[in-house]
Amino acid sequence: MKIIGHLINGAIVTDGTRTQDVFNPSTGEVAKQVALAGKATVEEAIAAAQAAFPAWRNTPPLKRARVMYRFKQLLEEHAEEICRLIGEEHGKIAHDAMGELQRGIENVAYACGVPELLKGEHSKNVGPAIDSWSEFQPLGVVAGITPFNFPAMVPLWMYPMAIACGNCFVLKPSERDPGSTLFIAQLLMEAGLPAGVINVVNGDKEAVDTLLDDPRVQAVSFVGSTPVAEYIYARASANGKRCQALGGAKNHAILLPDADMDNAVNALTGAAFGSSGERCMALSVAVAVGDAAAEAFIEKMKAQMQSLKVGAFNDKRNDFGPVITRAHLDKVVGYIDSAEAQGAEIVVDGRHPSVPGFDNGFFVGGTLIDRVTPDMLCYREEIFGPVLLVVRVQTMQQAMDLIDAHEYGNGTCIFTRDGEAARYFSDNIQVGMVGINVPLPVPVAYHSFGGWKRSLFGDLYAYGPDAVRFYTRRKTITQRWPSAGVREGVQFAFPS
Amino acid sequence: MKIIGHLINGAIVTDGTRTQDVFNPSTGEVAKQVALAGKATVEEAIAAAQAAFPAWRNTPPLKRARVMYRFKQLLEEHAEEICRLIGEEHGKIAHDAMGELQRGIENVAYACGVPELLKGEHSKNVGPAIDSWSEFQPLGVVAGITPFNFPAMVPLWMYPMAIACGNCFVLKPSERDPGSTLFIAQLLMEAGLPAGVINVVNGDKEAVDTLLDDPRVQAVSFVGSTPVAEYIYARASANGKRCQALGGAKNHAILLPDADMDNAVNALTGAAFGSSGERCMALSVAVAVGDAAAEAFIEKMKAQMQSLKVGAFNDKRNDFGPVITRAHLDKVVGYIDSAEAQGAEIVVDGRHPSVPGFDNGFFVGGTLIDRVTPDMLCYREEIFGPVLLVVRVQTMQQAMDLIDAHEYGNGTCIFTRDGEAARYFSDNIQVGMVGINVPLPVPVAYHSFGGWKRSLFGDLYAYGPDAVRFYTRRKTITQRWPSAGVREGVQFAFPS
Amino acid sequence: MKIIGHLINGAIVTDGTRTQDVFNPSTGEVAKQVALAGKATVEEAIAAAQAAFPAWRNTPPLKRARVMYRFKQLLEEHAEEICRLIGEEHGKIAHDAMGELQRGIENVAYACGVPELLKGEHSKNVGPAIDSWSEFQPLGVVAGITPFNFPAMVPLWMYPMAIACGNCFVLKPSERDPGSTLFIAQLLMEAGLPAGVINVVNGDKEAVDTLLDDPRVQAVSFVGSTPVAEYIYARASANGKRCQALGGAKNHAILLPDADMDNAVNALTGAAFGSSGERCMALSVAVAVGDAAAEAFIEKMKAQMQSLKVGAFNDKRNDFGPVITRAHLDKVVGYIDSAEAQGAEIVVDGRHPSVPGFDNGFFVGGTLIDRVTPDMLCYREEIFGPVLLVVRVQTMQQAMDLIDAHEYGNGTCIFTRDGEAARYFSDNIQVGMVGINVPLPVPVAYHSFGGWKRSLFGDLYAYGPDAVRFYTRRKTITQRWPSAGVREGVQFAFPS
Amino acid sequence: MKIIGHLINGAIVTDGTRTQDVFNPSTGEVAKQVALAGKATVEEAIAAAQAAFPAWRNTPPLKRARVMYRFKQLLEEHAEEICRLIGEEHGKIAHDAMGELQRGIENVAYACGVPELLKGEHSKNVGPAIDSWSEFQPLGVVAGITPFNFPAMVPLWMYPMAIACGNCFVLKPSERDPGSTLFIAQLLMEAGLPAGVINVVNGDKEAVDTLLDDPRVQAVSFVGSTPVAEYIYARASANGKRCQALGGAKNHAILLPDADMDNAVNALTGAAFGSSGERCMALSVAVAVGDAAAEAFIEKMKAQMQSLKVGAFNDKRNDFGPVITRAHLDKVVGYIDSAEAQGAEIVVDGRHPSVPGFDNGFFVGGTLIDRVTPDMLCYREEIFGPVLLVVRVQTMQQAMDLIDAHEYGNGTCIFTRDGEAARYFSDNIQVGMVGINVPLPVPVAYHSFGGWKRSLFGDLYAYGPDAVRFYTRRKTITQRWPSAGVREGVQFAFPS
């Protein structure tokens, strides 16, 4: 059986100690295994990165960018192969995998602009004939730890910019679907990156803790669930590192009575069920303002969901695929059960769908639940499945209070035609990414991604301009050239 | 005896539980006491800040800036009074206090520019008829914890910008010299700041821990010693807050053989002994490249030090004053003793200086120690006294290796006339603030302050442009206005 | 009779050759005269500026900014006196003069931030060990030519930033109301500006042409009418100078049927009649979409105009004052006459108002004209008086086409509640400053002011960030320090 | 014989009226002809651009950038073919053509970053609940007029960014070597650009004047000689357009006594003779400070020039090729003759070199002239040939005065090891592009290109960040959403 190894110092290796099964979620079968790196293997990757750093940091940004241009080209040329790998291990349909990859490529494109992005600030004459400027220098070895749900995109949020800035990188992707991630990193090597600048180690907590504790690792980027994000942030920080840790979400859409309801239903269908809801930006709660809005929405959504197709990744007619594991399938179904038990109304029931020919696949169908209340388990926690909850409120303020009271603050949106409502909402809501008639307000690659409250720990966000700052360290130089023969008076006071 | 209280919600209060003596270091006498806030008092300050936040965040930046303009004016008008307070409690001479204050005022001036600094990024047509922009919104309640050595300047690094950005602030200054800090905060109230926006609590570890643990505090800025900085950074981070913690330093100057040695001696005299060396940017190690440079330097510096005057804060003819406490005096003298015991050569001995009329003052005279080696205690630790060490090396690379091997990386400088040497040094040295023929390379207020290695924990620096980012949270809005009657197709794929 | 002179090299002078009357438009009387500078006098001002330049450009920006902080303070302290001078010579009521001055002061405040604004771009390693950076250096002597309608504000758009950037300035204000302008420039001297850095010459075409032709003048900023702007732009450009020339306007407001009509009427009352309509951002055409909107608007506006009070500048109960000259009064009345003659409907007639006690003042009352069509003279030209035209159209597209067809493109606005309409309008309209429910969309001081089409000639706008670029010249330095003993190969090819 | 036509609206056309010979300067033969567009043909191109504009401006910047990525790839794939075309018509050797092309490609790469570069400034709460932001919108139809010496690079300075910003372009390249320029534009069409967005018209003054006078053309970029630049700038400006016009140069290198002379000689050999000196950044004057420096330089340079090879474009062993025309050959030789006649010393004489097999080629060999004085014709004018003048002065100040007294201020450089000399020089010299030990200080593509004095007319420079501003027009939107039912007071005063 194929074993997915690590990429260390330019070569694919396995350390031969431990492995773990990788499932095809559409069939439920195990077709590959992934090597799990022990501490020594991770340290080897860190050492390779450390060794590659001096030459790479001295490579002019323009030349570092040229590698990224070639990488972008290779990603475009191998897009289908990447999407197939994603589908096999994650289960998402090709059109969705292509969307993910495209977003990832846009991050590579942004990293191509690194010569512009690294510009420092230059000040002439901060004092008489004294100049001062800032440089943004690379940190050295930096690490990324990424989740299963976007095996191509989330790593591409991190290392293209980190590397373009002059750092060397150790990536620990999800061990559940590591194939596409590794393949993409190999394309980057093919694009001309020197050995050791990018390293990929597959693994579990042992690998993670090694990255968090090793003093050579200067910074850690993480995307995953909130409890793990908190752990990562606390441990990396206790070790004196800089850290950005992105966690969970519970994204609400407010439906105002003046919303274009057909538009809202269309938008939410993709946002709630696309990729089986396994997105940190999935729209999982619709908050209808007024019962009329609620009923109009539910009626239209119910109708729309008739044509929703769940099925295997390799049939493009499907709208979405399986969830990642059987355990996760059980968890999602458990949330639906609990909603029913706690008095919510299951409008469309996606439990135990029939997917002919894929009886062992990890499928949950699109599910719509009305009359959910904030105390229910299904509301309080992130389901990460194709389940859309409807909460009914009577005023826009109630809807906003609900959102602000939730522990997560990743994304949210509002459907309305009214300029004033949209502005008030976007100004005041305690959420980091806000959509106005846009259900998945993921910032484009030239902005930055980050939630508020317990959805993000740290002060700089993922990708975009913030990534440049996260992956570099400011150095400020103050320069004065002495004129010959001119003696200066002693300065005891702090210069003013 | 005068008790220095807290500023909470616009009023000066004491909670009457615990107090601590405040010394006049020039005389060794206790003239005032400072109230030490308990947990409840700190929570009261946090609550006041929290309550003031909604109105203050909604105040247009231009109007927030107007308060800062008035504050700047009041600081200028009360400069002498502030310097007297600093002198009484800290011991620094008026000209040095004025330098400190001037630097603080420049930070207020920078905060006056907040309307410009808060500009977000606006992108038209991120997709067809979809726009996206970022706003930098205030965090809410933020806290600052500041050291004794710059009681005016370091707090002014923090709260003017935090407040100009729309936050409300709780400051815990050093309990050793809290008088000027409190007075300055009262001037800010006089400038028209609403009650609760700035709060000052004096205290010790209890106050600090309350700020670190209270969930209403969103961010913590700290300046102090490295062990405390590490503690603060780890604890604030474990509580999910953003944190920037600035620690200790051991700043080296490289003297190349081509340096203008008179210039270097003049520059280092102020940088090493000014403010009794109690500055995190004090230049405490001179690394001479070649014995000729070392001897030329020592001869000139020894001569120069003949005229150095240590004495009480209120005599302007003095070059520098006492250290902060008797305990600190003993510690500094202990470092000199240890240098002597470990084989270094005490060229100028400042132990037990005679300061007529101030027999109980905490004075150490300017001290020059030659033939220091990296293994000596006086080299490994931060002395924070008027002591300049000379280390001799044979090459510039040895000098740079020495600097890079030290745990701290705050500031450093080089004396040379050679462009190539200066560029190589500033490019490669692992230090955050680099001077070229500038002994105290403190960035001006419109750049940012921060060291590398164990001199700073966090990713954004103090004051300047970084402070704007530290005290704000990015919110990204993506907006699309539906055109009437146009139905959109369902989007299941992740949008590309 | 008082003669208003010139400010040259720090002293008030007159050249004693020619003078012109300055009227008090509220009374029609001549109370002062202004000296008109001949060519030699203007050249003297230019020479003074040229002589002051080397020292001023070398003054650190932080110190240049300090002059601006003091200037701001002096303007605030002398605000009433300035407003009285404006009122006497221009006729505007104190509350309006104060608004003008406040806007001017905000430009001074923005100039205080010049150390931040002058930051250049620094790039490390544009090639191996080659660095490059840009500096924005001052131009030298620059000139401003300003109109009568904002004697305080428009000059303050120009010279504070020009001077803060390190230039020396020659201002030629309007000869119709030069008193406040000169007084303000004297305050800047009082703030500590060295002699020669700011110079004011009063004059007419001879002065203007001298500024346009003298080779020492590097750049010209102009605000006035479009024919003069074109002349200035062509002549300054033919002389090889950089030039920005702001001209006339015809600002339209679109009233959509969903607009909050009370709000629109309130907003337009001030925007149309404030300062007698003598503003390049005056809102002079209301375009009602649909007859219902037109009639609702006219009815409410007619009612509102009952309480409009025109009168002398020194009575604060007045809403607006006289126009600038008798000739201009006749011109405005002529436009109203022509509208009547061409078939428009005079709804409220402001011709020949009664202003008891001020029979000789140059007064026109608020005038509302309905059923104006694009071919009428009153529509095609800028009236610059308290006259609001109403044009009726049937669709929003017709309204937009009307605006785009007009030769001017300074400001415009739309009244609606609909997000989509606002976005479509602001995206597509060929106008530089766009208001959404904001009748006078004058950018704040930290943005830049400029119209499109024949309302502005040049590529950089007035004040704000654009002013920094207009008043500085980019210099790019590329630096490589040769390493000793390393010989480089000959490079014949263009380096890549 | 092949006729090089125009690219209009996606198709290659000729208007069949007038043509002109295109020479192969290496052989002196005519191998192609170029069509010269009449007024009607140019207007057709403008009309095509105008028609393509509405759709192109509405194409999201990310999609416009995708065309540029493909264009970059196509340029890389066709590099050899392009270099051959350049060589045939211009005469430069392949390695030099490749350097030119590489620089051009870097400008395309920079244009790929247009989504980042187009970001506007967003300000929340410029007043209570009022927001304001700037957009940088494309101008419409813009034109470029480019010189013969960089037929690939200079057009690529202009239209990639103009087009990426959303404009449509009409390019009038040099009629002397139009082949590569047209070929490259066709590659851009192949990359997926819609028809009409890029148009190329070959022609002479008739074409130029049509572009300058047509009201649909919004902006003109020009690179060429100073007299033509002045004409273009004056005429375009008189027509109300924005214009940037780059003219001639006379670039000096200062040789200080401490310079690494081998390094300087190597650097200047390429900078003076590369591309036969037909570069606006060619280094044509060496100013030696002190006779010792002069003699050391001349001795080494004379030796170095022994191995310089002039010859046909298609032999890679040649260092440089012919000049562009026989007339230009005669002009260059005339300058050398005049130097001799005026008393300068011809150290190496490149007149009438022998190039076996290419007797009719337009060759001038590398020429070194010592003891040139500022009054000589060869010093006052731009030679644009492989001729290096040496001027001797006694002090650095004399060297700088010489440079500042020259009418041109494009580029300059200094050779020294001294930080102070370099800083003083770069600060004070009246030249736009300054090299420190860099002989051709052409800014990289992410900075901007522009000289001072009579080397550039306009305020924004070529390529880099300035190009974004030149090719866009600022629009500032101020937005306030009315809250229902809240009536606002009338505002007569100018809002403050």
Side-chain angles (χ1 to χ4, degrees), chain D residues 250-251 268-269 271-278 282-286 301 305 308 320 323 328-329 331-339 345-351 364-370 372 378-379 381-390:
Chain D
K250 192 80 177 181
N251 305 315
L268 289 189
T269 306
F273 308 118
S275 203
S276 306
E278 291 174 324
L283 210 305
S284 52
V285 186
M301 179 55 95
M305 288 174 71
L308 264 187
F320 59 93
V323 299
H328 189 52
L329 167 62
K331 196 172 162 196
V332 172
V333 168
Y335 280 122
I336 303 171
D337 295 344
S338 79
E345 182 184 325
I346 313 293
V347 180
V348 180
D349 189 345
R351 288 173 289 193
V364 189
T367 299
L368 180 67
I369 309 181
D370 191 13
V372 170
C378 66
Y379 179 81
E381 301 191 353
E382 185 174 23
I383 297 178
F384 232 56
V387 181
L388 178 62
L389 312 181
V390 179

Side-chain angles (χ1 to χ4, degrees), chain A residues 119 124 131 423 427 446, chain D residues 119 124 131 423 427 446:
Chain A
K119 281 178 179 173
K124 192 74 169 292
D131 302 331
R423 200 269 181 191
D427 181 21
Y446 45 106
Chain D
K119 282 177 179 173
K124 191 74 170 292
D131 303 330
R423 199 269 182 192
D427 182 21
Y446 45 106

Side-chain angles (χ1 to χ4, degrees), chain A residues 79-399:
Chain A
E80 288 203 17
E81 190 167 359
I82 293 166
C83 291
R84 187 181 50 74
L85 282 168
I86 295 172
E88 278 175 15
E89 301 175 15
H90 173 281
K92 67 177 72 171
I93 316 300
H95 47 77
D96 195 19
M98 197 60 86
E100 167 182 359
L101 180 59
Q102 180 56 39
R103 284 292 187 135
I105 290 173
E106 283 164 17
N107 282 282
V108 178
Y110 191 68
C112 290
V114 78
E116 173 74 16
L117 300 169
L118 279 179
K119 281 178 179 173
E121 304 178 307
H122 185 273
S123 291
K124 192 74 169 292
N125 282 337
V126 297
I130 302 175
D131 302 331
S132 189
W133 69 93
S134 287
E135 302 178 357
F136 293 98
Q137 295 198 348
L139 305 173
V141 181
V142 300
I145 301 165
T146 55
F148 79 85
N149 60 333
F150 286 107
M153 182 180 77
V154 173
L156 290 174
W157 284 5
M158 298 177 182
Y159 67 75
M161 186 54 84
I163 287 172
C165 286
N167 299 285
C168 296
F169 206 91
V170 181
L171 174 68
K172 202 225 72 71
S174 171
E175 66 279 20
R176 296 192 199 155
D177 50 4
S180 63
T181 317
L182 185 67
F183 180 78
I184 288 172
Q186 288 176 281
L187 291 180
L188 178 52
M189 294 304 304
E190 193 181 326
L193 198 70
V197 178
I198 176 78
N199 303 275
V200 180
V201 288
N202 290 302
D204 50 16
K205 191 164 186 299
E206 182 177 342
V208 167
D209 286 350
T210 305
L211 291 171
L212 296 177
D213 294 344
D214 192 293
R216 293 168 296 184
V217 174
Q218 302 292 317
V220 177
S221 297
F222 171 82
V223 174
S225 70
T226 287
V228 181
E230 277 190 297
Y231 168 79
I232 300 263
Y233 188 66
R235 185 154 177 172
S237 297
N239 285 322
K241 300 185 198 313
R242 59 173 71 181
C243 183
Q244 56 180 191
L246 283 69
K250 193 81 177 180
N251 304 315
H252 299 61
I254 297 182
L255 302 167
L256 287 195
D258 75 337
D260 175 333
M261 208 54 88
D262 290 307
N263 176 25
V265 166
N266 279 333
L268 289 188
T269 306
F273 308 119
S275 202
S276 307
E278 291 175 324
R279 294 170 176 162
C280 65
M281 286 297 274
L283 210 304
S284 51
V285 186
V287 186
V289 177
D291 286 314
E295 271 142 39
F297 174 73
I298 284 168
E299 183 187 15
K300 284 173 189 285
M301 179 55 95
K302 193 175 163 182
Q304 170 103 359
M305 288 174 71
Q306 303 308 318
S307 59
L308 264 187
K309 266 184 68 77
V310 59
F313 80 95
N314 49 5
D315 183 343
K316 293 189 176 191
R317 291 164 305 179
N318 290 327
D319 291 315
F320 60 92
V323 298
I324 187 72
T325 58
R326 175 147 311 275
H328 189 55
L329 167 61
D330 294 342
K331 196 172 161 198
V332 172
V333 168
Y335 281 121
I336 303 171
D337 294 344
S338 80
E340 196 167 33
Q342 291 184 301
E345 182 183 325
I346 313 293
V347 180
V348 180
D349 190 345
R351 287 172 290 192
H352 321 300
S354 153
V355 182
F358 294 89
D359 293 346
N360 295 318
F362 312 145
F363 296 101
V364 189
T367 299
L368 181 66
I369 309 181
D370 191 13
R371 302 195 182 275
V372 170
T373 56
D375 53 304
M376 293 180 184
L377 182 70
C378 67
Y379 178 82
R380 293 200 316 274
E381 301 191 354
E382 186 174 22
I383 297 178
F384 231 58
V387 182
L388 178 61
L389 313 181
V390 179
V391 180
R392 298 171 175 226
V393 297
Q394 294 312 312
T395 67
M396 178 168 152
Q397 192 59 52
Q398 285 170 351

Side-chain angles (χ1 to χ4, degrees), chain B residues 400-457:
Chain B
M400 288 178 63
D401 291 346
L402 204 63
I403 295 171
D404 283 347
H406 205 286
E407 68 170 319
Y408 296 129
N410 217 41
T412 190
C413 70
I414 191 167
F415 286 89
T416 182
R417 292 187 161 281
D418 188 78
E420 202 277 334
R423 199 269 181 192
Y424 185 85
F425 176 71
S426 72
D427 182 21
N428 289 289
I429 202 74
Q430 297 295 306
V431 171
M433 297 176 280
V434 180
I436 297 172
N437 299 305
V438 171
L440 283 176
V442 181
V444 286
Y446 45 105
H447 285 254
S448 294
F449 184 106
W452 284 23
K453 292 186 288 183
R454 287 166 54 74
S455 290
L456 183 143
F457 304 95

